[in-house]
Amino acid sequence: ETGLVTLDEGFVNTGSTRSAITFLNGEEGVLRYRGYAIEELAANCDFVEVAYLLIYGDLPNEAQIKEFREGIRDHTMIHEDMRSFYNGFPRDAHPMAILSSVVGALSTFYQDSMDPADKEQVEISIYRLLAKLPTIAAYSYKKSVGQPFMYPNNSLDYCENFLHMMFATPANEHMVDPDFAEALNLLLIVHADHEQNCSTSTVRMVGSSNANLFASISAGIGALWGPLHGGANEACVNMLEQIAADGGDVEKYVRMAKDKTDGFRLMGFGHRVYKNFDPRATIIRKSCDKLLAKLNLDDPLFKIAQQLEQVALEDDYFKDRNLYPNVDFYSGVIYRALGIPVQMFTVLFAIGRLPGWIAHWSEMHSSPSKRINRPRQIYTGSTEREFKPLSDRN
Ligand code: SDX
């Protein structure tokens, strides 16, 4: 009688999806990828190892991770003709718009890896995406600063290669700081998956129509861009900079959030699932401390973030609504320390989330009861009405 329908396999009338990839306990702030605690993975793995775990379900052995790393290395360059795409974008194009466009266009250059039903084609498309996303991302940054694109250097590991493509130029070799690569590695790991969030649900939805993996990931990038989702890391640093420019008056911005002044929210705070600390924020905050101390950096935004957290967490408005810092609250401070420009923050989120998107797309395709996702609705419009010709309408 409510119009709610019980959907078939994979969906029950609460709209839940069944998945074996990531476990969240929002009350206790628990996050596990394929059963492994995020704290263990962040402390002991590199991002490529975690990508393997999410996509294939187990931590790789020596032979498996060697083959996986080599497979990625074979595909780090993009087709030379794709470079001309970047000439068509305006200089100030947002890199998330470029990322979504160029990833979607991969399906025009790599038509031999488009069939979701062909295991070998899917395998190659997974390697191509994991390998090319950092290259596509770095090229969007080089475009924005008017510097020549740097080809991947496959003698470097995944994170070093990305930082090299971002900051090296033909005029000067860029020695990647191992501490930077280590910090980036940790950030990518904590962003790698998060069950049925907005962008992952988008990838599953688009993939359920048998759209190819490139098209599905391109759609996920679009969903991630929103400031209520992955775009929050960019919005959070912009907010911290505004507070800094405003004399560091964190109390004023806490009041604005409580009063909902012009819909203002503390970016990087709150979460639909976590009603406790986001375990990723705890990991990232520790890494912030360590990296800034190592670099002897005194980032005023980090201090403002810590003050904001302190003030907000003592305030009943936030406590009553279980609003805590989320993954986006501190990540921007680290990205700044790495020299990553703020417009690229959500792009880094996308690079981190890619293995999770791929894992969910593959899980959805391998489900024996796979069907196109077709949510139903509760109709709230007009009951049947008699048609009126134009001449009779007042
Ligand atoms: C990510 O889903 C995922 O897993 C996402 C993610 C992932 O890894 O994929 O974890 C990544 O998207 C993290 C969230 C990043 N977004 C932000 O930081 C943007 C700011 N936060 C929010 O807008 C908000 O907290 C959401 C979107 C994250 C969650 O919103 P909900 O669950 O829909 O909560 P709501 O909008 O219903 O708010 C409930 C109450 C409201 O107040 P009341 O109506 O009860 O008076 O809490 C208030 C809201 O106004 N509130 C906030 C707030 N977030 C919620 N008030 C001030 N600041 C905030 N940030």
Side-chain angles (χ1 to χ4, degrees), residues 24 190-191 193-200 224 226-233 257-258 260 264-275 278 280 317-318 321 323 326-329 349 353:
L24 290 192
V190 299
H191 282 87
D193 192 49
H194 216 240
E195 57 133 279
Q196 306 305 318
N197 58 85
C198 178
S199 53
T200 301
L224 187 72
L228 290 185
H229 187 18
N233 56 17
K258 288 166 64 176
K260 301 181 171 54
F264 176 75
R265 290 185 166 196
L266 294 184
M267 289 290 113
F269 252 78
H271 200 278
R272 176 62 58 78
V273 175
Y274 288 124
K275 297 311 168 193
D278 180 335
R280 302 168 298 175
Y317 172 92
F318 294 86
R321 292 166 178 80
L323 299 176
N326 59 48
V327 68
D328 295 310
F329 190 62
F349 193 147
R353 185 52 52 90

CSV table of all heavy atoms in Angstrom, one decimal, residues 24 190-191 193-200 224 226-233 257-258 260 264-275 278 280 317-318 321 323 326-329 349 353, ligand 1:
chain,number,residue,atom,x,y,z
A,24,LEU,N,31.6,-1.6,6.6
A,24,LEU,CA,31.6,-0.4,7.4
A,24,LEU,C,30.7,-0.6,8.7
A,24,LEU,O,29.6,-1.2,8.5
A,24,LEU,CB,30.9,0.8,6.7
A,24,LEU,CG,31.5,1.5,5.5
A,24,LEU,CD1,30.7,2.8,5.2
A,24,LEU,CD2,33.0,1.8,5.7
A,190,VAL,N,43.5,5.0,1.8
A,190,VAL,CA,42.3,5.3,2.7
A,190,VAL,C,41.1,5.7,1.8
A,190,VAL,O,40.0,5.8,2.3
A,190,VAL,CB,42.6,6.3,3.8
A,190,VAL,CG1,43.6,5.7,4.8
A,190,VAL,CG2,42.9,7.6,3.3
A,191,HIS,N,41.4,6.1,0.6
A,191,HIS,CA,40.3,6.5,-0.3
A,191,HIS,C,39.8,5.4,-1.2
A,191,HIS,O,38.9,5.6,-2.0
A,191,HIS,CB,40.7,7.7,-1.2
A,191,HIS,CG,40.7,9.0,-0.5
A,191,HIS,ND1,41.8,9.4,0.2
A,191,HIS,CD2,39.8,10.0,-0.4
A,191,HIS,CE1,41.6,10.6,0.7
A,191,HIS,NE2,40.4,11.0,0.4
A,193,ASP,N,38.1,2.5,-1.2
A,193,ASP,CA,36.7,2.0,-1.4
A,193,ASP,C,35.9,2.4,-0.2
A,193,ASP,O,36.5,2.7,0.9
A,193,ASP,CB,36.7,0.5,-1.5
A,193,ASP,CG,35.2,0.1,-2.0
A,193,ASP,OD1,34.7,0.7,-2.9
A,193,ASP,OD2,34.6,-0.8,-1.3
A,194,HIS,N,34.6,2.5,-0.3
A,194,HIS,CA,33.8,2.9,0.8
A,194,HIS,C,32.3,2.4,0.6
A,194,HIS,O,31.4,3.2,0.7
A,194,HIS,CB,33.8,4.4,1.0
A,194,HIS,CG,33.8,4.7,2.5
A,194,HIS,ND1,32.8,5.5,3.0
A,194,HIS,CD2,34.5,4.3,3.5
A,194,HIS,CE1,32.9,5.6,4.4
A,194,HIS,NE2,34.0,4.9,4.7
A,195,GLU,N,32.2,1.1,0.3
A,195,GLU,CA,30.9,0.4,0.0
A,195,GLU,C,30.0,1.3,-1.0
A,195,GLU,O,30.5,1.7,-2.0
A,195,GLU,CB,30.2,-0.1,1.2
A,195,GLU,CG,29.9,1.0,2.3
A,195,GLU,CD,28.5,0.8,2.8
A,195,GLU,OE1,27.6,1.3,2.2
A,195,GLU,OE2,28.3,0.1,3.9
A,196,GLN,N,28.8,1.5,-0.7
A,196,GLN,CA,27.8,2.0,-1.7
A,196,GLN,C,27.7,3.5,-1.6
A,196,GLN,O,26.6,4.0,-1.6
A,196,GLN,CB,26.4,1.3,-1.4
A,196,GLN,CG,26.5,-0.2,-1.4
A,196,GLN,CD,27.1,-0.8,-2.7
A,196,GLN,OE1,26.9,-0.4,-3.8
A,196,GLN,NE2,28.0,-1.8,-2.5
A,197,ASN,N,28.8,4.2,-1.6
A,197,ASN,CA,28.7,5.7,-1.7
A,197,ASN,C,28.2,6.1,-3.0
A,197,ASN,O,28.0,5.3,-3.9
A,197,ASN,CB,30.1,6.2,-1.4
A,197,ASN,CG,31.1,5.7,-2.4
A,197,ASN,OD1,31.2,6.3,-3.5
A,197,ASN,ND2,31.7,4.6,-2.1
A,198,CYS,N,27.9,7.4,-3.1
A,198,CYS,CA,27.3,8.0,-4.3
A,198,CYS,C,28.0,7.6,-5.6
A,198,CYS,O,27.4,7.1,-6.5
A,198,CYS,CB,27.2,9.5,-4.1
A,198,CYS,SG,26.5,10.4,-5.5
A,199,SER,N,29.3,7.8,-5.7
A,199,SER,CA,30.0,7.5,-7.0
A,199,SER,C,30.1,6.0,-7.2
A,199,SER,O,29.9,5.6,-8.4
A,199,SER,CB,31.4,8.1,-6.9
A,199,SER,OG,32.1,7.7,-5.8
A,200,THR,N,30.3,5.2,-6.2
A,200,THR,CA,30.3,3.8,-6.4
A,200,THR,C,29.0,3.2,-6.9
A,200,THR,O,28.9,2.4,-7.8
A,200,THR,CB,30.8,3.0,-5.2
A,200,THR,OG1,32.1,3.6,-4.8
A,200,THR,CG2,30.9,1.5,-5.3
A,224,LEU,N,31.6,11.8,-8.2
A,224,LEU,CA,32.5,12.1,-7.2
A,224,LEU,C,32.8,13.6,-7.1
A,224,LEU,O,33.1,14.2,-6.0
A,224,LEU,CB,33.8,11.4,-7.4
A,224,LEU,CG,34.9,11.5,-6.3
A,224,LEU,CD1,34.4,10.7,-5.0
A,224,LEU,CD2,36.2,11.0,-6.8
A,226,GLY,N,31.0,16.2,-7.1
A,226,GLY,CA,30.1,17.0,-6.2
A,226,GLY,C,30.7,17.4,-4.9
A,226,GLY,O,31.3,16.6,-4.2
A,227,PRO,N,30.5,18.7,-4.4
A,227,PRO,CA,31.1,19.1,-3.2
A,227,PRO,C,30.5,18.4,-1.9
A,227,PRO,O,31.1,18.4,-0.9
A,227,PRO,CB,30.7,20.6,-3.1
A,227,PRO,CG,29.8,20.9,-4.2
A,227,PRO,CD,29.8,19.7,-5.2
A,228,LEU,N,29.3,17.7,-2.1
A,228,LEU,CA,28.8,17.0,-0.9
A,228,LEU,C,29.5,15.6,-0.9
A,228,LEU,O,29.3,14.8,0.1
A,228,LEU,CB,27.3,16.8,-1.0
A,228,LEU,CG,26.5,18.0,-0.8
A,228,LEU,CD1,25.0,17.7,-0.8
A,228,LEU,CD2,26.8,18.7,0.5
A,229,HIS,N,30.3,15.2,-1.9
A,229,HIS,CA,30.9,13.9,-2.0
A,229,HIS,C,32.4,14.1,-2.1
A,229,HIS,O,33.0,14.8,-1.2
A,229,HIS,CB,30.3,13.1,-3.1
A,229,HIS,CG,30.7,11.7,-3.3
A,229,HIS,ND1,31.3,11.0,-2.3
A,229,HIS,CD2,30.6,10.9,-4.3
A,229,HIS,CE1,31.5,9.7,-2.7
A,229,HIS,NE2,31.1,9.6,-3.9
A,230,GLY,N,33.0,13.7,-3.1
A,230,GLY,CA,34.5,13.8,-3.2
A,230,GLY,C,35.0,15.3,-3.3
A,230,GLY,O,36.1,15.6,-2.9
A,231,GLY,N,34.1,16.1,-3.9
A,231,GLY,CA,34.5,17.5,-4.0
A,231,GLY,C,34.7,18.2,-2.7
A,231,GLY,O,35.1,19.4,-2.6
A,232,ALA,N,34.3,17.6,-1.6
A,232,ALA,CA,34.4,18.2,-0.3
A,232,ALA,C,35.8,18.5,0.1
A,232,ALA,O,36.1,19.4,0.9
A,232,ALA,CB,33.7,17.3,0.8
A,233,ASN,N,36.8,17.7,-0.4
A,233,ASN,CA,38.2,18.0,0.0
A,233,ASN,C,38.7,19.3,-0.5
A,233,ASN,O,39.3,20.1,0.2
A,233,ASN,CB,39.1,16.8,-0.3
A,233,ASN,CG,39.2,16.5,-1.8
A,233,ASN,OD1,38.7,17.2,-2.7
A,233,ASN,ND2,39.7,15.3,-2.1
A,257,ALA,N,27.6,27.6,10.7
A,257,ALA,CA,27.2,26.2,10.4
A,257,ALA,C,25.9,25.9,11.3
A,257,ALA,O,24.9,25.4,10.8
A,257,ALA,CB,28.3,25.2,10.7
A,258,LYS,N,26.0,26.3,12.5
A,258,LYS,CA,24.8,26.0,13.4
A,258,LYS,C,23.6,26.7,13.0
A,258,LYS,O,22.5,26.2,13.0
A,258,LYS,CB,25.2,26.3,14.9
A,258,LYS,CG,26.2,25.4,15.5
A,258,LYS,CD,26.8,26.0,16.8
A,258,LYS,CE,25.8,26.2,17.8
A,258,LYS,NZ,26.4,26.7,19.1
A,260,LYS,N,23.1,27.7,10.0
A,260,LYS,CA,22.8,27.3,8.6
A,260,LYS,C,22.8,28.6,7.7
A,260,LYS,O,22.0,28.7,6.8
A,260,LYS,CB,21.5,26.5,8.5
A,260,LYS,CG,21.5,25.2,9.3
A,260,LYS,CD,20.2,24.5,9.1
A,260,LYS,CE,20.2,23.1,9.7
A,260,LYS,NZ,20.6,22.9,11.0
A,264,PHE,N,25.3,27.3,4.9
A,264,PHE,CA,26.7,27.0,5.1
A,264,PHE,C,26.9,25.7,5.9
A,264,PHE,O,26.2,25.5,6.9
A,264,PHE,CB,27.4,28.2,5.9
A,264,PHE,CG,28.9,27.9,6.2
A,264,PHE,CD1,29.9,27.9,5.3
A,264,PHE,CD2,29.2,27.5,7.5
A,264,PHE,CE1,31.2,27.6,5.6
A,264,PHE,CE2,30.5,27.2,7.9
A,264,PHE,CZ,31.5,27.3,6.9
A,265,ARG,N,27.8,24.9,5.5
A,265,ARG,CA,28.2,23.7,6.3
A,265,ARG,C,29.7,23.6,6.4
A,265,ARG,O,30.4,24.1,5.6
A,265,ARG,CB,27.7,22.4,5.5
A,265,ARG,CG,26.2,22.3,5.5
A,265,ARG,CD,25.8,21.0,4.9
A,265,ARG,NE,24.4,20.7,5.2
A,265,ARG,CZ,23.8,19.5,5.1
A,265,ARG,NH1,24.5,18.5,4.7
A,265,ARG,NH2,22.5,19.3,5.4
A,266,LEU,N,30.1,23.0,7.5
A,266,LEU,CA,31.6,22.8,7.6
A,266,LEU,C,32.0,21.7,6.7
A,266,LEU,O,31.6,20.5,6.9
A,266,LEU,CB,31.9,22.4,9.1
A,266,LEU,CG,31.7,23.4,10.2
A,266,LEU,CD1,32.1,22.9,11.5
A,266,LEU,CD2,32.4,24.8,9.9
A,267,MET,N,32.7,22.0,5.6
A,267,MET,CA,33.1,21.0,4.7
A,267,MET,C,34.1,20.1,5.3
A,267,MET,O,34.9,20.5,6.1
A,267,MET,CB,33.8,21.7,3.5
A,267,MET,CG,32.8,22.4,2.6
A,267,MET,SD,31.7,21.3,1.7
A,267,MET,CE,30.1,21.6,2.5
A,268,GLY,N,34.0,18.8,5.1
A,268,GLY,CA,34.8,17.8,5.7
A,268,GLY,C,34.3,17.3,7.0
A,268,GLY,O,34.9,16.5,7.7
A,269,PHE,N,33.1,17.8,7.3
A,269,PHE,CA,32.4,17.3,8.6
A,269,PHE,C,31.2,16.5,8.2
A,269,PHE,O,30.4,16.8,7.3
A,269,PHE,CB,32.0,18.5,9.4
A,269,PHE,CG,32.9,18.7,10.6
A,269,PHE,CD1,34.2,19.3,10.5
A,269,PHE,CD2,32.5,18.3,11.9
A,269,PHE,CE1,35.0,19.5,11.6
A,269,PHE,CE2,33.3,18.5,13.0
A,269,PHE,CZ,34.5,19.1,12.8
A,270,GLY,N,30.9,15.5,9.0
A,270,GLY,CA,29.6,14.8,8.9
A,270,GLY,C,29.7,13.6,7.9
A,270,GLY,O,30.6,13.6,7.1
A,271,HIS,N,28.9,12.7,8.1
A,271,HIS,CA,28.9,11.5,7.2
A,271,HIS,C,27.6,10.8,7.3
A,271,HIS,O,27.0,10.6,8.4
A,271,HIS,CB,30.0,10.6,7.5
A,271,HIS,CG,30.4,9.6,6.4
A,271,HIS,ND1,29.7,8.5,6.2
A,271,HIS,CD2,31.3,9.7,5.5
A,271,HIS,CE1,30.2,7.9,5.1
A,271,HIS,NE2,31.2,8.6,4.7
A,272,ARG,N,27.0,10.3,6.2
A,272,ARG,CA,25.8,9.5,6.2
A,272,ARG,C,25.9,8.3,7.0
A,272,ARG,O,24.9,7.9,7.7
A,272,ARG,CB,25.4,9.2,4.8
A,272,ARG,CG,24.1,8.4,4.6
A,272,ARG,CD,22.9,9.1,5.2
A,272,ARG,NE,22.6,10.3,4.5
A,272,ARG,CZ,22.1,10.5,3.4
A,272,ARG,NH1,21.8,9.4,2.6
A,272,ARG,NH2,21.8,11.7,2.9
A,273,VAL,N,27.1,7.6,7.0
A,273,VAL,CA,27.2,6.3,7.7
A,273,VAL,C,27.9,6.5,9.0
A,273,VAL,O,27.4,6.0,10.0
A,273,VAL,CB,28.0,5.3,6.8
A,273,VAL,CG1,28.2,4.0,7.5
A,273,VAL,CG2,27.2,5.1,5.5
A,274,TYR,N,29.0,7.2,9.0
A,274,TYR,CA,29.8,7.3,10.3
A,274,TYR,C,29.1,8.2,11.3
A,274,TYR,O,28.9,9.4,11.0
A,274,TYR,CB,31.2,7.8,10.1
A,274,TYR,CG,32.1,6.8,9.4
A,274,TYR,CD1,32.7,7.2,8.2
A,274,TYR,CD2,32.3,5.6,9.9
A,274,TYR,CE1,33.6,6.3,7.5
A,274,TYR,CE2,33.1,4.7,9.2
A,274,TYR,CZ,33.8,5.0,8.0
A,274,TYR,OH,34.6,4.2,7.4
A,275,LYS,N,28.6,7.6,12.4
A,275,LYS,CA,28.1,8.4,13.5
A,275,LYS,C,29.1,8.4,14.6
A,275,LYS,O,28.7,8.5,15.8
A,275,LYS,CB,26.7,7.9,13.9
A,275,LYS,CG,25.7,8.0,12.7
A,275,LYS,CD,25.7,9.3,12.0
A,275,LYS,CE,24.9,9.4,10.7
A,275,LYS,NZ,25.1,10.6,9.9
A,278,ASP,N,35.3,9.1,11.6
A,278,ASP,CA,35.7,8.4,10.3
A,278,ASP,C,37.1,7.9,10.5
A,278,ASP,O,38.0,8.7,10.7
A,278,ASP,CB,35.6,9.4,9.2
A,278,ASP,CG,36.0,8.8,7.8
A,278,ASP,OD1,36.7,7.8,7.8
A,278,ASP,OD2,35.5,9.4,6.8
A,280,ARG,N,39.3,6.9,8.7
A,280,ARG,CA,40.2,7.4,7.7
A,280,ARG,C,40.7,8.8,8.2
A,280,ARG,O,41.9,9.2,8.0
A,280,ARG,CB,39.5,7.5,6.4
A,280,ARG,CG,39.0,6.2,5.9
A,280,ARG,CD,38.1,6.3,4.7
A,280,ARG,NE,36.9,7.1,5.0
A,280,ARG,CZ,36.0,7.5,4.1
A,280,ARG,NH1,36.1,7.1,2.9
A,280,ARG,NH2,34.9,8.2,4.5
A,317,TYR,N,25.5,21.1,19.0
A,317,TYR,CA,24.9,21.0,17.7
A,317,TYR,C,25.5,19.9,16.9
A,317,TYR,O,24.9,19.0,16.3
A,317,TYR,CB,25.1,22.3,16.9
A,317,TYR,CG,24.7,22.2,15.4
A,317,TYR,CD1,23.4,22.6,15.0
A,317,TYR,CD2,25.5,21.7,14.5
A,317,TYR,CE1,23.0,22.5,13.7
A,317,TYR,CE2,25.2,21.6,13.2
A,317,TYR,CZ,23.9,22.0,12.8
A,317,TYR,OH,23.5,21.9,11.5
A,318,PHE,N,26.8,19.8,17.0
A,318,PHE,CA,27.6,18.7,16.3
A,318,PHE,C,27.5,17.4,17.0
A,318,PHE,O,27.3,16.4,16.4
A,318,PHE,CB,29.0,19.2,16.1
A,318,PHE,CG,29.2,20.4,15.2
A,318,PHE,CD1,29.1,21.7,15.7
A,318,PHE,CD2,29.3,20.2,13.8
A,318,PHE,CE1,29.1,22.8,14.9
A,318,PHE,CE2,29.4,21.3,13.0
A,318,PHE,CZ,29.3,22.6,13.5
A,321,ARG,N,24.2,15.7,16.5
A,321,ARG,CA,24.0,15.2,15.1
A,321,ARG,C,25.1,14.2,14.7
A,321,ARG,O,25.2,13.8,13.5
A,321,ARG,CB,23.9,16.3,14.1
A,321,ARG,CG,22.6,17.2,14.3
A,321,ARG,CD,22.7,18.5,13.6
A,321,ARG,NE,21.5,19.2,13.7
A,321,ARG,CZ,21.2,20.0,14.8
A,321,ARG,NH1,22.0,20.0,15.8
A,321,ARG,NH2,20.0,20.6,14.9
A,323,LEU,N,28.2,14.7,14.2
A,323,LEU,CA,29.0,15.2,13.1
A,323,LEU,C,30.5,15.3,13.5
A,323,LEU,O,30.9,16.0,14.4
A,323,LEU,CB,28.5,16.6,12.8
A,323,LEU,CG,27.1,16.8,12.4
A,323,LEU,CD1,26.7,18.2,12.2
A,323,LEU,CD2,26.8,16.0,11.1
A,326,ASN,N,35.4,14.0,8.6
A,326,ASN,CA,35.4,12.8,7.7
A,326,ASN,C,36.7,12.8,6.9
A,326,ASN,O,37.6,13.6,7.1
A,326,ASN,CB,34.2,12.8,6.8
A,326,ASN,CG,34.1,14.1,5.9
A,326,ASN,OD1,35.1,14.4,5.3
A,326,ASN,ND2,33.0,14.7,5.9
A,327,VAL,N,36.8,11.9,6.0
A,327,VAL,CA,38.0,11.6,5.2
A,327,VAL,C,38.5,12.9,4.5
A,327,VAL,O,39.7,13.1,4.3
A,327,VAL,CB,37.8,10.5,4.1
A,327,VAL,CG1,36.8,11.0,3.0
A,327,VAL,CG2,39.1,10.0,3.6
A,328,ASP,N,37.6,13.8,4.2
A,328,ASP,CA,38.0,15.0,3.5
A,328,ASP,C,38.5,16.2,4.3
A,328,ASP,O,39.0,17.2,3.8
A,328,ASP,CB,36.8,15.5,2.7
A,328,ASP,CG,36.4,14.5,1.6
A,328,ASP,OD1,37.3,14.1,0.9
A,328,ASP,OD2,35.2,14.1,1.6
A,329,PHE,N,38.4,16.0,5.7
A,329,PHE,CA,38.8,17.1,6.5
A,329,PHE,C,40.3,17.5,6.5
A,329,PHE,O,40.7,18.6,6.5
A,329,PHE,CB,38.2,16.9,7.9
A,329,PHE,CG,38.3,18.1,8.8
A,329,PHE,CD1,37.5,19.3,8.5
A,329,PHE,CD2,39.1,18.2,9.9
A,329,PHE,CE1,37.6,20.4,9.3
A,329,PHE,CE2,39.1,19.3,10.7
A,329,PHE,CZ,38.4,20.4,10.4
A,349,PHE,N,41.4,12.0,-5.2
A,349,PHE,CA,40.4,11.1,-4.6
A,349,PHE,C,39.9,10.1,-5.6
A,349,PHE,O,39.8,8.9,-5.3
A,349,PHE,CB,39.2,12.0,-4.1
A,349,PHE,CG,38.2,11.3,-3.2
A,349,PHE,CD1,37.5,12.0,-2.3
A,349,PHE,CD2,37.9,9.9,-3.4
A,349,PHE,CE1,36.6,11.3,-1.4
A,349,PHE,CE2,36.9,9.3,-2.5
A,349,PHE,CZ,36.3,10.0,-1.6
A,353,ARG,N,40.0,6.1,-5.4
A,353,ARG,CA,38.8,5.3,-5.5
A,353,ARG,C,38.7,4.4,-6.6
A,353,ARG,O,37.8,3.5,-6.6
A,353,ARG,CB,37.6,6.3,-5.5
A,353,ARG,CG,36.2,5.8,-5.4
A,353,ARG,CD,36.0,4.8,-4.2
A,353,ARG,NE,36.4,5.3,-2.9
A,353,ARG,CZ,35.6,5.9,-2.1
A,353,ARG,NH1,34.3,6.3,-2.5
A,353,ARG,NH2,36.0,6.3,-0.9
B,1,SDX,C1,32.4,11.6,1.3
B,1,SDX,O1,29.0,8.0,1.4
B,1,SDX,C2,30.3,7.9,1.6
B,1,SDX,O2,30.9,6.9,2.0
B,1,SDX,C3,31.1,9.1,1.1
B,1,SDX,C4,32.6,9.1,1.3
B,1,SDX,C5,33.3,8.1,0.5
B,1,SDX,O3,34.4,7.6,0.9
B,1,SDX,O4,32.8,7.8,-0.6
B,1,SDX,O5,32.9,8.9,2.7
B,1,SDX,C6,33.2,10.4,0.9
B,1,SDX,O6,31.6,12.0,0.5
B,1,SDX,C7,32.5,12.2,2.7
B,1,SDX,C8,31.5,13.3,2.9
B,1,SDX,C9,32.1,14.6,2.3
B,1,SDX,N1,31.1,15.7,2.3
B,1,SDX,C10,31.3,16.7,3.1
B,1,SDX,O7,32.2,16.8,3.9
B,1,SDX,C11,30.3,17.8,2.9
B,1,SDX,C12,29.8,18.3,4.3
B,1,SDX,N2,29.0,17.3,4.9
B,1,SDX,C13,27.6,17.2,4.6
B,1,SDX,O8,27.0,17.9,3.7
B,1,SDX,C14,26.9,16.0,5.2
B,1,SDX,O9,27.4,15.7,6.4
B,1,SDX,C15,26.9,14.7,4.3
B,1,SDX,C16,26.5,15.0,2.9
B,1,SDX,C17,28.3,14.1,4.3
B,1,SDX,C18,26.0,13.7,4.9
B,1,SDX,O10,24.7,14.3,4.9
B,1,SDX,P1,23.4,13.6,5.4
B,1,SDX,O11,23.7,12.3,6.1
B,1,SDX,O12,22.4,13.6,4.3
B,1,SDX,O13,23.0,14.5,6.6
B,1,SDX,P2,21.9,15.6,6.5
B,1,SDX,O14,22.2,16.5,5.3
B,1,SDX,O15,20.6,15.0,6.6
B,1,SDX,O16,22.2,16.5,7.8
B,1,SDX,C19,21.7,16.1,9.1
B,1,SDX,C20,21.8,17.3,10.0
B,1,SDX,C21,21.2,18.6,9.3
B,1,SDX,O17,20.9,19.4,10.4
B,1,SDX,P3,19.3,19.4,10.9
B,1,SDX,O18,18.4,19.5,9.7
B,1,SDX,O19,19.2,18.1,11.7
B,1,SDX,O20,19.2,20.7,11.8
B,1,SDX,O21,23.2,17.6,10.2
B,1,SDX,C22,23.5,18.9,9.6
B,1,SDX,C23,22.4,19.2,8.6
B,1,SDX,O22,22.3,20.6,8.5
B,1,SDX,N3,24.8,18.7,9.0
B,1,SDX,C24,25.8,19.6,9.0
B,1,SDX,C25,26.9,19.1,8.3
B,1,SDX,N4,26.5,17.9,7.8
B,1,SDX,C26,25.2,17.7,8.2
B,1,SDX,N5,25.9,20.9,9.6
B,1,SDX,C27,27.0,21.5,9.5
B,1,SDX,N6,28.1,21.1,8.8
B,1,SDX,C28,28.1,19.9,8.2
B,1,SDX,N7,29.1,19.4,7.5
